[in-house]
């Protein structure tokens, strides 16, 4: 609910959500400053506004909590928007031209409106909207204008009340009659209430994505940024921020945020000289460049913000349900992601009709529903040196095309999926030979290669069109219902016909191809992959059904990755494979139970060389997949409680334990997943108290063998934990895990 009230010469605007509020005030001179945000039991009335003094203002006018700080007025610290006007106005036009351009923007409130049809930039344009996409959500629009230039900025605040989420974005419009240089631009700036904060986020690298990090925010700037055309492996655009010592996993106030954008982004946390903390989120500033022509408008994607009064867990659950309801395409109530098979670790580039058919038969026999053939099926792609760009089936591998394989897959009762990496080209490809100018490069400068590949220039509309046509032809020719969309190199030498606009043009082109494909082929599903988890964010999720969190399929490492991933993103999008006993990335040997239990926390996939398994192993796979199908509506659509994590807890040095519990909205069913990664001798793993159950109800607990372990009241499980947790799998110290189903009786 949005309420606007007058307090003397000031106006106060309050955004009220399920359990939180966000308030700002408009000063008599039209400046819009932040008033506060945080917990609220209901719609908030505010009085005595004059007495709330912006603490920054007392100490330093330059630190004022502007809702959208611009380079102008007294702002000499970091700002959200910096523009340069080429000419001075009025009498000053004759002043010394050498001091031009005018780098000074002073925004003042003009008016506001409340809309229900506002959309940030780059929202999906396909016909498989998210579950609640049609729900009309109130959006506050603040219309601001410079004190003299005909330059306009509109601030948007869209409320998703049930999830305590506000999406903010901004629109700039140049009516000055001259081209205006935009030097820096964020989607929003967000102020935290006074306090000393700590930041929880994910960091890592290839094969180590999403490792949770918790750090104090100290005076100065802390920058999380990606300079590239994917979201990045090293950092991911989300945060959970809490006052130091005042929030834990399931209690206390936590502010969260995430950017819905897959390219050059930055989140800059700024602890000012007044000790006030704020965060800017938007386009990465060092590579940013934009010229707004007369009459031109630019709208940004969304910065998704929210507040949880139930600790970090509550923040994650709000982000998860927001993604399920308003971001993920085509997700219907109760619908589940399929069990997938992927050929990569089984066959790598050694594809053949015979080999893939064998895998498909074994996959179907164990209960797989979607068979995805990975890299190597097209052009001259016999290894990673050649072929990217030529998205036509290789006659060397499949002389009669893909139809025989797809027919077999379909006859086995599965759907068929294919790996693609459309944004890339190998110089050794027909595409590159025909269009050497289609790659990002600077004239006369060397073109670097990574994994022997270069990046196509999405600043050229003909490149985007060409790729759409190639993929569309594939989908028209064959019954393909799933693309694993990969992207395997970082961006360097970004020379493009789009100039510095390439950072935005690439993301827009990528989204446009996906959206057009989904629109033309309504049954199509897409998995986002970027050399593992390099492209995971709320922007790409608007047009992808699931994401690949990491190339690292080692269940030990993966448990850390899953804990970090779950901070922001819902388990249903987290594709996780069971792979070989001796892991290909780490050579670690991990029991099958642990490999399954870890993979079953998300959307289960199988990546093993399954045609080489023994009968006994095949039986175990089959049984576990059947169990997964039983629990997946809870795992994929329930509320997640992290009862213990690899990154938190007193026992960290003596043991690493991760415990996840998912619960259905009606509290009737729950899945309990405990993974003990290591435990020193002499250390006993404690029991973990469950959450979210109905205290008075009795739950039947069964394991994957359908064996009933007992019947316990919700109160007991929440008070004492799961019986037997200390001794399951023997009393030793071995890596072990178990997944249990709880059903209310
Ligand atoms: C990187 C992906 O993350 C892998 O799963 C696999 O698809 C390879 N690329 C194929 O080249």
């Amino acid at each position: 609910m949005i309420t606007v009230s007058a307090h003397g010469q000031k106006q106060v605007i309050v955004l009220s959500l399920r359990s939180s509020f966000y308030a700002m005030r408009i000063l008599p001179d039209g400046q819009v400053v932040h008033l506060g945000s945080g917990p609220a039991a209901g719609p908030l009335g505010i009085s005595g506004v004059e007495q709330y003094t912006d603490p920054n203002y007392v100490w330093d006018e330059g630190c004022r909590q502007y809702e959208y700080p611009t380079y102008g007025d007294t702002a000499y610290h970091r700002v959200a928007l910096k523009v340069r006007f080429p000419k001075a106005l009025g009498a000053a036009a004759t002043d010394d031209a050498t001091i031009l351009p005018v780098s000074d923007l002073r925004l003042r409130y003009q008016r506001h409106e409340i809309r229900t049809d506002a959309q940030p930039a780059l929202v999906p344009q396909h016909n498989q909207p998210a579950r609640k996409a049609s729900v009309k959500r109130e959006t506050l629009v603040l219309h601001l204008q410079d004190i003299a230039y005909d330059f306009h900025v509109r601030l948007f605040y869209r409320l998703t009340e049930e999830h305590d989420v506000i999406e903010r974005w901004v629109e700039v419009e140049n009516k000055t009659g001259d081209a205006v240089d935009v030097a820096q631009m964020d989607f929003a700036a967000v102020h935290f209430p006074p306090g000393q904060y700590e930041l929880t986020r994910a960091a890592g690298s290839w094969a180590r994505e999403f490792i949770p990090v918790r750090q104090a925010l100290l005076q100065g700037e802390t920058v999380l940024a990606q300079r590239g055309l994917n979201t990045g492996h090293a950092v991911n655009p989300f945060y959970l921020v809490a006052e130091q010592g005042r929030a834990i996993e399931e209690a206390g106030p936590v502010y969260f945020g995430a950017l819905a954008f897959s390219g050059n982004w930055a989140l800059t946390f700024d602890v000012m000289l007044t000790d006030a903390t704020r965060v800017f989120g938007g386009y990465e500033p060092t590579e940013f460049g934009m010229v707004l022509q007369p009459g031109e408008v630019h709208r940004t994607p969304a910065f998704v913000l929210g507040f949880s009064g139930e600790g970090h867990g509550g923040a994650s659950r709000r982000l998860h349900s927001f993604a399920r309801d308003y971001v993920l395409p085509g997700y219907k109530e109760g619908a589940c992601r399929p069990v997938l098979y992927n050929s990569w670790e089984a066959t790598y580039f050694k594809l053949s009709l015979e080999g893939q058919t064998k895998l498909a038969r074994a996959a179907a026999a164990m209960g797989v529903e979607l068979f995805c053939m990975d890299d190597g099926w097209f052009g001259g792609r016999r290894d990673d040196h050649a072929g990217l760009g030529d998205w036509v089936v290789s006659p060397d591998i499949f002389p009669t095309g893909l139809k025989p394989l797809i027919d077999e897959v379909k006859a086995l009762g599965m759907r068929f999926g294919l790996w693609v990496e459309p944004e890339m080209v190998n110089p050794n490809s027909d595409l590159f030979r025909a269009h050497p100018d289609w790659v990002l490069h600077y004239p006369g400068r060397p073109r670097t290669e990574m994994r022997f590949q270069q990046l196509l220039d999405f600043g050229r509309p003909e490149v985007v069109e060409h790729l759409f046509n190639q993929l569309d032809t594939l989908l028209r020719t064959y019954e393909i219902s799933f693309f694993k969309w990969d992207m395997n190199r970082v961006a360097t030498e970004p020379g493009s016909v789009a100039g510095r606009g390439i950072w935005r043009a690439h993301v827009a082109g990528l989204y446009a191809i996906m959206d057009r494909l989904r629109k033309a082929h309504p049954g199509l599903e897409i998995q986002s992959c970027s050399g593992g988890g390099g492209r995971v964010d709320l922007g790409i999720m608007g047009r992808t059904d699931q994401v690949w969190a990491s190339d690292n399929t080692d269940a030990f490492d993966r448990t850390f990755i899953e804990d970090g991933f779950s901070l922001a993103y819902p388990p249903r999008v987290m594709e996780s494979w069971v792979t070989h006993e001796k892991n290909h990335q780490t050579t670690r040997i991990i029991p099958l139970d642990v490999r399954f239990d870890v993979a079953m926390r998300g959307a289960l996939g199988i990546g093993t060389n399954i045609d080489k398994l023994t009968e006994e192993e095949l039986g175990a796979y089959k049984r576990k997949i059947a169990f997964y199908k039983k629990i997946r509506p809870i795992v994929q659509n329930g509320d997640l409680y992290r009862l213990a994590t690899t990154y938190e807890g007193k026992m960290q040095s003596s043991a690493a334990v991760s415990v996840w519990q998912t619960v259905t909205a009606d509290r009737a069913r729950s899945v309990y997943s405990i993974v003990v990664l290591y435990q020193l001798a002499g250390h006993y793993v404690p029991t973990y108290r469950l959450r979210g159950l109905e205290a008075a109800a009795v739950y039947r607990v069964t394991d994957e063998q359908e064996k009933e372990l007992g019947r316990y009241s919700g109160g007991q499980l929440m008070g004492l934990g799961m019986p037997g947790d200390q001794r399951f799998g023997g009393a030793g110290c071995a890596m072990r895990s178990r997944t249990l189903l709880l059903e209310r009786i």
Side-chain angles (χ1 to χ4, degrees):
M1 189 167 81
I2 300 169
T3 47
V4 183
S5 50
H7 295 260
Q9 284 189 301
K10 295 178 186 172
Q11 270 187 311
V12 170
I13 303 182
V14 182
L15 314 180
S16 301
L17 302 104
R18 175 169 63 108
S19 59
S20 60
F21 80 98
Y22 184 107
M24 61 201 102
R25 58 184 154 191
I26 300 159
L27 302 179
D29 69 352
Q31 299 193 66
V32 185
V33 295
H34 191 67
L35 182 56
S37 66
L44 196 73
I46 293 177
S47 60
V49 169
E50 299 297 326
Q51 293 164 49
Y52 292 108
T53 314
D54 172 350
N56 293 310
Y57 192 60
V58 174
W59 293 104
D60 181 339
E61 203 166 319
C63 304
R64 182 135 228 184
Q65 296 190 151
Y66 297 110
E67 270 296 293
Y68 194 65
T70 59
Y71 198 69
D73 284 311
T74 56
Y76 68 98
H77 304 286
R78 197 191 188 284
V79 294
L81 179 66
K82 192 172 192 172
V83 301
R84 299 185 181 114
F85 299 106
K87 290 184 193 150
L89 292 181
T94 53
D95 275 7
D96 187 353
T98 57
I99 55 176
L100 292 174
V102 174
S103 195
D104 184 291
L105 176 66
R106 304 180 193 210
L107 295 177
R108 300 293 182 264
Y109 169 86
Q110 301 297 308
R111 65 188 176 90
H112 70 269
E113 62 181 318
I114 296 169
R115 286 170 50 184
T116 53
D117 61 347
Q119 295 276 16
L122 302 181
V123 291
Q125 299 296 315
H126 54 69
N127 48 8
Q128 300 159 58
R131 188 160 82 102
K132 292 194 184 168
S134 61
V135 172
K136 299 268 180 234
R137 287 173 288 170
E138 277 192 323
T139 305
L140 169 74
V141 189
L142 294 179
H143 293 255
L144 314 178
Q145 190 189 338
D146 180 66
I147 52 172
Y149 287 100
D150 206 357
F151 191 86
H152 302 254
V153 173
R154 292 179 277 276
L155 308 184
F156 292 77
Y157 303 75
R158 179 163 67 180
L159 277 60
T160 305
E161 294 185 20
E162 73 269 32
H163 301 319
D164 286 306
V165 161
I166 299 173
E167 287 162 278
R168 286 190 56 185
W169 66 93
V170 63
E171 195 172 80
V172 291
E173 182 173 15
N174 173 19
K175 293 186 179 173
T176 65
D178 295 304
V180 171
D181 184 27
V182 183
Q184 186 181 320
M185 191 178 197
D186 283 307
F187 311 163
V190 183
H191 304 274
F192 300 109
Q196 294 200 319
Y197 286 91
E198 63 185 13
L199 162 68
T200 303
R201 64 189 181 98
S205 64
W206 173 81
R208 195 172 57 90
E209 301 88 335
F210 293 104
I211 303 304
V213 174
R214 189 162 285 167
Q215 67 193 92
L217 286 173
L218 302 177
Q219 190 176 338
E221 289 187 2
T222 302
V223 182
L224 315 182
Q226 162 72 348
R227 299 190 182 96
L229 298 175
N230 59 351
T231 323
H233 293 80
V235 277
N236 190 274
F238 79 85
Y239 65 81
L240 312 183
V241 160
E243 264 193 89
Q244 285 175 36
R246 293 196 182 263
I248 52 175
E249 178 67 13
E250 287 299 338
V254 174
Y255 294 82
F256 59 86
L259 299 177
F261 186 59
S262 312
N264 246 24
W265 60 267
L267 284 168
T268 306
F269 298 85
D270 185 14
V271 181
M272 308 183 82
L273 57 151
T274 54
D275 259 356
T277 304
R278 55 194 187 159
V279 59
F280 297 84
Y283 298 126
E284 196 282 321
T286 59
E287 290 302 325
F288 181 81
M290 183 192 289
V291 176
L292 268 191
Q293 296 300 333
E296 207 177 333
V297 175
H298 179 80
R299 199 187 326 153
T300 71
F303 184 168
V304 176
L305 312 168
F307 173 81
S308 152
E310 298 97 42
H312 298 90
S316 301
R317 284 190 292 280
R318 282 169 172 80
L319 279 164
H320 296 177
S321 47
F322 176 76
R324 286 198 302 262
D325 287 349
Y326 293 98
V327 181
L328 292 168
Y331 160 56
K332 294 186 184 58
E333 192 74 71
C336 287
R337 299 299 311 141
V339 177
L340 172 151
Y341 180 79
N342 182 286
S343 67
W344 179 241
E345 289 198 25
T347 49
Y348 293 104
F349 288 105
K350 292 196 172 39
L351 301 183
S352 68
L353 175 60
E354 197 199 353
Q356 295 300 303
T357 305
K358 265 196 196 164
L359 289 173
R361 288 182 184 149
M366 61 177 61
V368 166
E369 296 155 311
L370 173 59
F371 182 87
C372 180
M373 181 162 68
D374 212 280
D375 199 351
W377 55 269
F378 53 93
R381 187 78 167 169
R382 301 297 78 81
D383 55 31
D384 58 6
H385 288 61
L388 287 177
D390 301 337
W391 301 108
V392 283
V393 179
S394 167
D396 301 341
I397 308 296
F398 296 101
T400 50
L402 290 183
K403 194 166 183 310
L405 177 61
I406 296 177
D407 284 350
E408 177 76 27
V409 166
K410 296 219 60 178
L412 289 164
M414 299 183 291
R415 293 192 285 131
F416 182 77
L418 206 54
W419 179 94
V420 291
E421 191 179 4
E423 296 146 87
M424 298 291 168
V425 63
N426 287 121
N428 184 2
S429 66
D430 292 344
L431 181 71
F432 187 87
R433 283 184 279 275
H435 299 285
D437 52 332
W438 274 13
V439 298
L440 294 178
H441 70 284
Y442 287 113
R445 304 293 294 168
R447 303 173 180 198
T448 59
E449 286 177 23
M450 291 180 195
R451 210 192 185 201
F452 317 102
Q453 62 199 51
Q454 300 184 8
L455 265 153
L456 288 168
D457 180 3
F458 275 34
R460 292 175 182 270
E462 65 273 29
V463 169
V464 175
E465 193 61 28
H466 170 82
L467 290 173
F468 169 77
N469 287 331
Q470 290 239 306
L471 299 173
D472 182 58
T473 303
L474 268 175
L475 294 171
R476 283 181 200 286
T477 313
Y478 295 112
E479 269 192 77
I480 298 166
S481 63
F482 178 88
F483 276 147
K484 173 179 173 184
W485 187 300
D486 207 344
M487 199 281 198
N488 279 300
R489 74 159 282 182
V490 296
T492 55
E493 67 263 8
S496 162
V497 292
R500 295 182 92 184
I502 185 57
W503 305 107
R504 295 179 303 285
H506 187 94
V507 178
L510 165 77
Y511 289 176
I513 299 173
M514 289 184 171
D515 288 356
R516 280 179 72 187
L517 290 173
R518 291 192 81 116
K519 197 165 192 168
H521 306 276
L524 179 68
E525 294 180 343
I526 302 176
Q527 171 171 306
S528 173
C529 169
S530 178
R535 192 179 265 158
V536 178
D537 60 79
L538 292 178
I540 202 72
M541 282 185 197
R543 53 275 295 172
T544 53
D545 304 85
Q546 60 191 46
V547 298
W548 186 224
S550 179
D551 274 350
N552 188 339
T553 60
D554 176 318
F556 184 96
D557 293 10
R558 195 87 180 187
T559 305
F560 290 81
I561 292 168
E562 291 184 346
D563 275 346
F565 185 96
S566 76
L567 287 169
Y569 305 113
R572 77 174 276 115
V573 302
M574 187 179 73
E575 174 71 17
S576 309
W577 304 344
V578 171
T579 53
H580 302 88
E581 183 176 29
K582 182 171 175 180
N583 186 266
H584 285 194
Q585 290 81 38
T586 64
T587 72
R588 195 180 274 126
I589 292 174
I590 298 189
L592 187 65
D593 285 342
V594 179
R595 280 180 277 147
F596 258 97
D597 286 332
V598 171
M600 288 196 301
R601 288 178 163 194
L604 176 66
I606 309 291
T608 328
N609 206 344
I610 47 181
D611 60 343
K612 301 267 187 313
L613 296 179
T614 62
E615 280 305 312
E616 195 188 331
E617 286 169 324
L618 281 171
Y621 272 67
K622 194 172 173 179
R623 192 184 66 239
K624 285 170 183 292
I625 289 173
F627 177 64
Y628 176 72
K629 286 180 182 169
K630 214 165 148 190
I631 62 170
R632 72 179 160 183
I634 311 162
V635 169
Q636 294 188 13
N637 304 326
D639 288 330
L640 172 69
Y641 294 91
R642 290 178 296 254
L643 306 184
T645 59
T646 45
Y647 58 91
E648 199 168 40
K650 315 190 249 325
M651 308 297 183
Q652 210 162 23
S653 54
S654 293
V657 182
S658 171
V659 185
W660 282 21
Q661 186 203 351
T662 38
V663 188
T664 54
D666 62 2
R667 302 194 285 171
R669 307 208 310 149
S670 178
V671 171
Y672 178 81
S673 161
I674 177 167
V675 182
V676 181
L677 292 177
Y678 73 81
Q679 167 190 4
L680 303 188
H683 173 80
Y684 293 92
V685 172
T687 49
Y688 297 93
R689 286 177 282 181
L690 279 69
R691 301 191 74 91
L693 302 175
E694 207 179 306
V698 173
Y699 293 83
R700 179 180 45 235
V701 179
T702 47
D703 68 9
E704 51 121 354
Q705 314 248 23
E706 307 226 3
K707 184 171 150 222
E708 182 171 320
L709 303 187
R711 293 174 183 219
Y712 313 106
S713 74
Q716 177 186 329
L717 292 167
M718 293 193 289
L720 294 171
M722 185 62 74
D725 251 3
Q726 281 133 332
R727 304 193 71 82
F728 81 91
C733 296
M735 188 191 304
R736 63 197 189 281
S737 60
R738 62 176 181 167
T739 304
L740 305 175
L741 170 63
L742 285 72
E743 291 166 295
R744 192 172 60 195
I745 50 175

